[in-house]
Amino acid sequence: RYVLHSKKLPGKPDLSNEKREIAVFVHGCFWHHHKKCKSGKWPKSNQEYWIPKIKKNVKNDAAHRRKLKKAGWSIFRIWECETREKKKLDALLSSLRKAGGLSIN
């Protein structure tokens, strides 16, 4: 059974399954600084505010993944941009299914 935003787990994964120890994070490319995406580029305005805020998100994300991995969890990170292309989305769903019997149509 998958749970949304479990407060018991570091980073409150978007989806998690305690029995299978699977955590899924769906990250917005801007908010979590996806370096491989044009939406993940640093903002040009109000940088004094945005850059530290986004860097903090990235640092927290890494800390949450480390804690979960140390506890033996499998972690999946899905980027917002990956959900826009059917081929990438199909590959993501396939890997999730293989990892934990996830049934998504």
Side-chain angles (χ1 to χ4, degrees):
R1 180 169 173 260
Y2 282 81
V3 176
L4 293 174
H5 311 288
S6 175
K7 294 178 183 177
K8 297 190 288 185
L9 297 173
K12 294 188 272 182
D14 295 291
L15 288 168
S16 60
N17 183 310
E18 284 191 55
K19 182 180 177 183
R20 294 189 172 104
E21 295 184 328
I22 295 172
V24 180
F25 293 93
V26 182
H27 287 326
C29 296
F30 174 75
W31 298 106
H32 298 270
H33 190 57
H34 188 203
K35 295 176 187 174
K36 297 179 182 178
C37 173
K38 66 179 180 177
S39 298
K41 295 198 183 241
W42 295 115
K44 294 189 193 257
S45 63
N46 203 7
Q47 289 185 333
E48 299 78 26
Y49 173 78
W50 286 112
I51 291 177
K53 182 175 182 65
I54 294 167
K55 282 184 176 183
K56 183 179 176 187
N57 288 346
V58 172
K59 183 179 177 183
N60 288 339
D61 292 341
H64 297 144
R65 285 192 310 271
R66 272 193 309 276
K67 287 177 185 175
L68 286 165
K69 282 183 184 180
K70 188 175 181 179
W73 285 64
S74 297
I75 299 154
F76 293 86
R77 182 169 42 175
I78 299 172
W79 291 101
E80 172 188 11
C81 64
E82 293 174 328
T83 66
R84 293 187 193 122
E85 294 179 38
K86 184 170 178 11
K87 187 176 179 180
K88 286 184 179 180
L89 184 57
D90 288 343
L92 286 166
L93 294 175
S94 176
S95 65
L96 283 169
R97 283 186 192 105
K98 287 177 188 173
L102 182 62
S103 60
I104 299 176
N105 296 326

